[in-house]
């Protein structure tokens, strides 16, 4: 009898170990495979595939996995699910491989610079771990999201969540593509072993928060939140993006202006001028109008129960998608095909000298003048500075998709969000049936939010230690520090209301969505909109 119990215990223990290994094996294989790619890069040298190409391959696999999962939601297929999971694992593998290969490339880049200048110093290897700018952080952010996704969707019952999280990871990599992967030198004051610890924690925490956000959206859809209500919030987000791009010129002047680059070593220089692109502005205005009409229609449907308003709102939703696609298409086409940028800019400014004054002010701000010195400069002097800058540099000016990465990524994100809402409105009940149960989604949301809370706490602690080492103070209410603190407090509120007040379900989902939006603002908004010590990343 005792022997039978002992044998049963051994069998149970073996089964648990086998289940544990099979659960984590895909993630382990992806990570180990990426380090093998690192070994191959060290052996083969600079002729090895570039880190940028590896990133693009990762992007392709993330998109493929998401598309197959979306297809499986509407037309269930075991083959599609298996291929989707393998694609997600390959996306994580190539994502991490790109980051690791970039590490070697950055290290060799500085070694070459030092030797060219006659310096025989060999910097320590962790100085060039890829956490130096927003491109590096985007690679790590997407990896964190991809890794968290494949760990969660290993269970067949929740694989559909990849359809919500992997498109977001793909958008993060798309942003990285537009930012550009130029190699930059790290500021010496930031050279600390706390940097990889701090930014590494941030990347994993952000990735888990992304998955938590995707689960929250799936929960709301499963919980019978009307697609039209989701469309209202997505429409407001789209209008906000359109209103803020191109220095707020779309709704005020009905034009879109792209930033202009000058070649500079080692990184291109963004000029104070912007060039108007044809058709983009009017199409974006039309998109905004269609979104506002969609919002008004859906509000009438939700609060007045007017069925016809719902039908009209869905038509406006489709029209907004069409015009936004055209807007992005003309934007990319204009940037890719426009030549003689300086001459075209000069022709556009011939009828509007205010552009020269604006550019002159930007040039003066870069000269680090005191407030008194800046106030003494007249509009005529600002205009002359702008004209002189244009005359000296117009032959070298060019446009690039890397000029406005956040703007373009914002428009693409709005397009994807509108597309998802339109997709959710198709066979909505069937889609809800295919999603995991509310209890499963709520449990996963709680676990991922808890991990995000712990990660953000470690982020704040390690950041304070690093800041004290670099700047001589642990906290200075810098823009990014404050944003990270507010995001952490939001997840703290999530856990507090859940534990002490018993808030679950929709209330928790709303907290998770707000927390992730605050993280995104900390990740992007601080870097491009607010000044601060973290503006380099």
């Amino acid at each position: 009898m005792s022997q039978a119990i002992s044998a049963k215990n051994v069998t149970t223990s073996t089964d648990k170990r086998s289940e544990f290994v099979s659960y984590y094996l895909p993630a382990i294989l992806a990570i180990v495979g990426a380090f093998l790619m690192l070994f191959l890069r060290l052996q083969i040298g600079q002729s090895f595939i570039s880190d940028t190409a590896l990133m693009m391959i990762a992007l392709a696999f993330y998109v493929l996995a998401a598309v197959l999962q979306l297809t499986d939601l509407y037309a269930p297929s075991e083959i599609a699910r298996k291929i989707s999971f393998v694609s997600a694992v390959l996306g994580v593998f190539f994502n991490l491989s790109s980051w690791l290969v970039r590490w070697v490339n950055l290290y060799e880049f500085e070694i070459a610079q030092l030797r060219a200048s006659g310096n025989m110093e060999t910097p320590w290897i962790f100085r060039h771990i890829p956490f130096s700018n927003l491109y590096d952080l985007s690679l790590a952010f997407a990896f964190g999201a991809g890794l968290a996704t494949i760990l969660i969707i290993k269970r067949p019952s929740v694989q559909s969540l990849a359809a919500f999280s992997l498109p977001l990871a793909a958008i993060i990599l798309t942003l990285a593509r537009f930012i550009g992967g130029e190699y930059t030198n790290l500021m010496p004051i930031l050279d600390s072993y706390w940097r990889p610890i701090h930014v590494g924690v941030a990347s994993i925490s952000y990735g888990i928060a992304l998955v938590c956000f995707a689960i929250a959206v799936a929960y709301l859809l499963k919980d019978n939140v009307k697609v039209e209500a989701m469309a209202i919030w997505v429409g407001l987000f789209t209008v906000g993006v359109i209103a803020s791009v191109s220095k707020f010129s779309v709704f005020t002047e009905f034009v879109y202006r792209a930033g202009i680059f000058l070649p500079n070593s080692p990184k291109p220089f963004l000029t104070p001028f912007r060039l108007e692109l044809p058709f983009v502005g009017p199409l974006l205005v039309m998109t905004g109008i269609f979104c506002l009409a969609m919002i008004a229609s859906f509000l009438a449907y939700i609060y007045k129960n007017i069925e016809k308003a719902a039908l009209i709102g869905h038509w406006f939703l489709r029209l907004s998608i069409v015009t936004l696609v055209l807007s992005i298409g003309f934007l990319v086409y204009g940037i890719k095909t426009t030549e003689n940028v300086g001459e075209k800019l000069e022709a556009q400014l011939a009828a509007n000298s205010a552009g020269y004054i604006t550019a002159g002010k930007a040039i003066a701000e870069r000269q680090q003048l005191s407030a008194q010195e800046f106030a003494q400069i007249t509009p005529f002097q600002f205009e002359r500075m702008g004209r002189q800058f244009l005359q000296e540099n117009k032959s070298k000016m060019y446009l690039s998709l890397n000029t406005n990465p956040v703007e373009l990524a914002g428009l693409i994100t709005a397009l994807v969000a509108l597309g998802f809402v339109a997709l959710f409105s198709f066979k909505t009940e069937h889609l809800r049936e295919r999603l995991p149960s509310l209890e499963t989604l709520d449990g996963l949301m709680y676990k991922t939010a808890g991990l995000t809370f712990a990660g953000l706490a470690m982020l704040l602690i390690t950041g304070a230690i690093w800041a004290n080492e670099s700047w001589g103070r642990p906290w200075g209410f810098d823009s990014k520090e404050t944003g990270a603190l507010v995001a952490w407090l939001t997840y703290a509120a999530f856990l507090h209301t859940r534990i002490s007040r018993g808030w679950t379900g929709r209330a928790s989902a709303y907290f998770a969505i707000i927390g992730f939006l605050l993280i995104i603002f900390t990740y992007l908004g601080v870097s491009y909109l607010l000044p601060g010590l973290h503006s380099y990343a």
Side-chain angles (χ1 to χ4, degrees):
M1 179 77 174
S2 61
Q3 289 179 345
I5 294 174
S6 177
K8 183 178 180 180
N9 289 336
V10 170
T11 303
T12 303
S13 177
T14 303
D15 290 342
K16 286 183 177 179
R17 282 199 299 269
S18 176
E19 182 180 350
F20 178 85
V21 170
S22 65
Y23 188 84
Y24 289 102
L25 185 60
I28 293 171
L29 288 175
I31 294 172
V32 172
F35 277 93
L36 288 176
M37 290 285 279
L38 172 63
F39 176 76
L40 287 174
R41 167 61 181 85
L42 293 171
Q43 295 300 311
I44 295 174
Q46 294 184 357
S47 60
F48 192 71
I49 184 172
S50 70
D51 57 279
T52 305
L54 290 169
M55 183 271 287
M56 294 300 294
I57 296 173
L59 173 59
F61 275 115
Y62 282 151
V63 171
L64 176 62
V67 169
L68 288 173
Q69 282 296 342
L70 282 170
T71 303
D72 180 67
L73 284 174
Y74 290 95
S77 167
E78 184 67 24
I79 294 177
R81 283 194 293 272
K82 290 180 178 179
I83 296 176
S84 174
F85 182 74
V86 172
S87 298
V89 173
L90 287 173
V92 173
F93 160 68
F94 282 108
N95 195 162
L96 182 58
S97 297
S98 172
W99 187 84
L100 291 172
V101 169
R102 182 173 176 80
W103 188 354
V104 178
N105 292 344
L106 282 167
Y107 186 74
E108 292 182 352
F109 173 73
E110 182 173 13
I111 291 290
Q113 283 192 319
L114 290 173
R115 298 297 179 265
S117 62
N119 188 340
M120 294 296 108
E121 175 191 359
T122 301
W124 71 312
I125 187 65
F126 282 100
R127 172 176 166 79
H128 289 285
I129 190 168
F131 286 136
S132 301
N133 53 41
L134 197 59
Y135 177 89
D136 299 336
L137 180 56
S138 297
L139 285 182
F141 187 175
F143 166 72
L147 181 64
T149 297
I150 64 172
L151 287 174
I152 288 175
I153 67 171
K154 186 64 176 69
R155 289 180 289 172
S157 61
V158 296
Q159 274 198 10
S160 57
L161 293 177
F164 295 81
S165 63
L166 289 182
L168 298 175
I171 288 174
I172 298 298
L173 284 186
T174 302
L175 172 64
R177 165 66 185 84
F178 293 141
I179 292 170
E182 293 88 0
Y183 301 144
T184 56
N185 292 320
L186 182 72
M187 288 185 287
I189 197 172
L190 299 176
D191 186 12
S192 167
Y193 59 86
W194 283 105
R195 179 173 61 91
I197 297 173
H198 171 71
V199 186
V201 168
S203 304
I204 298 299
S205 303
Y206 287 5
I208 297 172
L210 183 150
V211 175
C212 182
F213 169 82
I215 295 170
V217 173
Y219 183 94
L220 293 176
L221 186 63
K222 180 73 174 183
D223 199 31
N224 296 318
V225 170
K226 290 184 177 180
V227 174
E228 291 78 11
M230 292 184 174
I232 290 172
W233 291 106
V234 171
L236 290 172
F237 169 76
T238 303
V239 171
V241 170
I242 295 172
S244 59
V245 298
S246 184
K247 303 291 185 181
F248 304 94
S249 69
V250 175
F251 286 143
T252 57
E253 303 176 55
F254 306 116
V255 298
Y256 176 88
R257 299 186 181 97
I260 301 173
F261 267 150
L262 281 176
N264 196 16
S265 180
K267 191 175 180 180
F269 170 73
L270 183 60
T271 74
F273 290 100
R274 295 175 74 98
L275 181 70
E276 179 182 336
L277 297 179
F279 307 116
V280 179
L283 283 168
L284 286 176
V285 171
M286 290 174 62
T287 303
I289 293 172
F290 289 146
C291 283
L292 291 173
M294 173 192 72
I295 292 169
S297 300
F298 285 152
L299 284 173
Y301 166 66
I302 292 172
Y303 292 103
K304 299 293 185 180
N305 201 27
I306 303 174
E307 293 291 339
K308 190 174 181 180
L311 295 174
I312 294 172
H314 282 289
W315 275 108
F316 279 126
L317 170 62
R318 294 169 191 140
L319 287 172
S320 66
I321 292 173
V322 172
T323 52
L324 188 52
V325 168
L326 291 173
S327 303
I328 295 172
F330 277 112
L331 192 158
V332 173
Y333 177 79
I335 288 176
K336 286 289 189 180
T337 61
T338 300
E339 298 178 351
N340 302 320
V341 173
E343 294 179 4
K344 286 183 171 61
L345 175 64
E346 191 173 35
Q348 288 183 8
L349 292 174
N352 182 17
S353 61
Y356 286 114
I357 296 175
T358 303
K361 289 180 179 179
I363 294 168
E365 288 172 355
R366 291 172 179 171
Q367 295 175 355
Q368 297 183 339
L369 301 175
S370 66
Q372 185 177 4
E373 291 172 331
F374 188 86
Q376 291 175 349
I377 303 176
T378 65
F380 175 76
Q381 289 173 317
F382 281 131
E383 181 178 348
R384 187 173 61 184
M385 291 168 65
R387 289 183 183 276
Q388 182 179 353
F389 183 91
L390 178 58
Q391 291 303 315
E392 291 175 354
N393 299 284
K394 68 177 182 179
S395 62
K396 297 177 288 185
M397 290 180 170
Y398 68 96
L399 301 180
S400 170
L401 289 175
N402 298 342
T403 310
N404 313 109
V406 174
E407 290 185 357
L408 189 52
L411 292 172
I412 292 174
T413 303
L415 176 62
V416 171
L418 289 170
F420 265 101
V421 170
L423 189 64
F424 292 161
S425 65
F426 177 69
K427 293 186 178 181
T428 307
E429 293 306 317
H430 174 76
L431 176 60
R432 285 174 175 147
E433 291 174 3
R434 295 282 300 154
L435 290 174
S437 67
L438 287 175
E439 293 76 15
T440 299
L441 291 171
D442 189 57
L444 286 173
M445 185 165 52
Y446 175 51
K447 292 173 184 176
T448 50
L451 288 172
T452 302
F453 171 78
L456 292 179
M458 288 299 298
L459 171 74
L460 292 170
I461 293 169
T462 56
I465 297 172
W466 182 26
N468 189 61
E469 185 178 290
S470 296
W471 309 111
R473 52 92 180 134
W475 188 267
F477 285 98
D478 180 68
S479 303
K480 205 150 197 167
E481 293 172 356
T482 306
L485 175 62
V486 173
W488 177 71
L489 290 173
T490 304
Y491 284 96
F494 174 102
L495 297 177
H496 173 74
T497 54
R498 188 179 184 99
I499 295 170
S500 66
R501 300 287 182 180
W503 289 14
T504 58
R506 287 193 186 186
S508 294
Y510 292 138
F511 261 117
I513 290 172
I514 293 171
F516 180 69
L517 293 178
L518 289 170
I519 283 177
I520 289 297
F521 180 76
T522 304
Y523 161 64
L524 286 180
V526 171
S527 300
Y528 280 87
L529 300 177
L530 301 177
L533 295 174
H534 291 79
S535 58
Y536 65 92

